[in-house]
């Protein structure tokens, strides 16, 4: 069920403290941690603590929580002193989503080409 922790979700396990992560920020509703396979000097994932399978579901079911994720993405960029950065939400396997818990990638610290990927 959306919003409920999922036993088989890696990110839910990080939220619960059962899987280690390099946490850089945490609020009442979000957790931000370093990506284990960084694509740039700054590559941080910002996730809602509540489980939503993707960004589209999160935006529809919990728009205030989606805004919290975006606000924290900005805070990560500010803390890492990024003048330019990218916020990426992959939604669906065809877009590269591999963990079915909504998350924003905050990527920066190097030049980023367009179009991506």
């Amino acid at each position: 069920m959306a919003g409920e922790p999922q036993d088989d979700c890696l990110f839910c396990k990080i939220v619960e403290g059962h899987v280690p992560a390099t946490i850089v920020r945490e609020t009442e509703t979000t957790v931000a941690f370093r990506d284990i396979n960084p694509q740039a000097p700054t590559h941080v994932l910002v996730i809602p603590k509540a489980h939503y399978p993707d960004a589209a579901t999160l935006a529809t079911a919990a728009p205030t929580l989606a805004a919290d994720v975006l606000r924290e993405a900005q805070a990560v960029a500010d803390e890492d002193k990024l003048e330019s950065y990218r916020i990426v939400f992959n939604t669906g396997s065809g877009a590269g989503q591999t963990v079915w818990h909504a998350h924003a990638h905050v990527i920066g610290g190097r030049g980023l080409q367009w179009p991506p990927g």
Side-chain angles (χ1 to χ4, degrees):
M1 171 182 265
E4 299 290 325
Q6 303 295 305
D7 292 337
D8 61 344
C9 174
L10 174 63
F11 290 173
C12 286
K13 291 176 184 177
I14 289 172
V15 168
E16 294 169 354
H18 299 299
V19 171
T22 304
I23 295 175
V24 297
R25 291 187 57 81
E26 184 169 3
T27 69
E28 186 176 314
T29 60
T30 65
V31 176
F33 53 92
R34 302 267 173 210
D35 194 293
I36 62 169
N37 184 27
Q39 302 300 303
T42 293
H43 189 165
V44 173
L45 303 179
V46 181
I47 67 170
K49 288 183 176 179
H51 181 90
Y52 292 89
D54 55 47
T57 304
L58 172 63
T60 301
T64 301
L65 184 53
D68 290 349
V69 170
L70 285 172
R71 202 171 8 264
E72 283 306 300
Q74 176 66 53
V76 166
D78 289 346
E79 283 188 0
D80 277 18
K81 298 180 179 21
L82 299 176
E83 292 181 22
S84 299
Y85 59 95
R86 187 171 287 159
I87 300 172
V88 177
F89 288 91
N90 297 323
T91 300
S93 57
Q97 185 177 5
T98 59
V99 178
W100 298 99
H101 184 120
H103 57 285
H105 296 256
V106 181
I107 303 168
R110 67 167 176 81
L112 299 171
Q113 302 302 312
W114 193 260

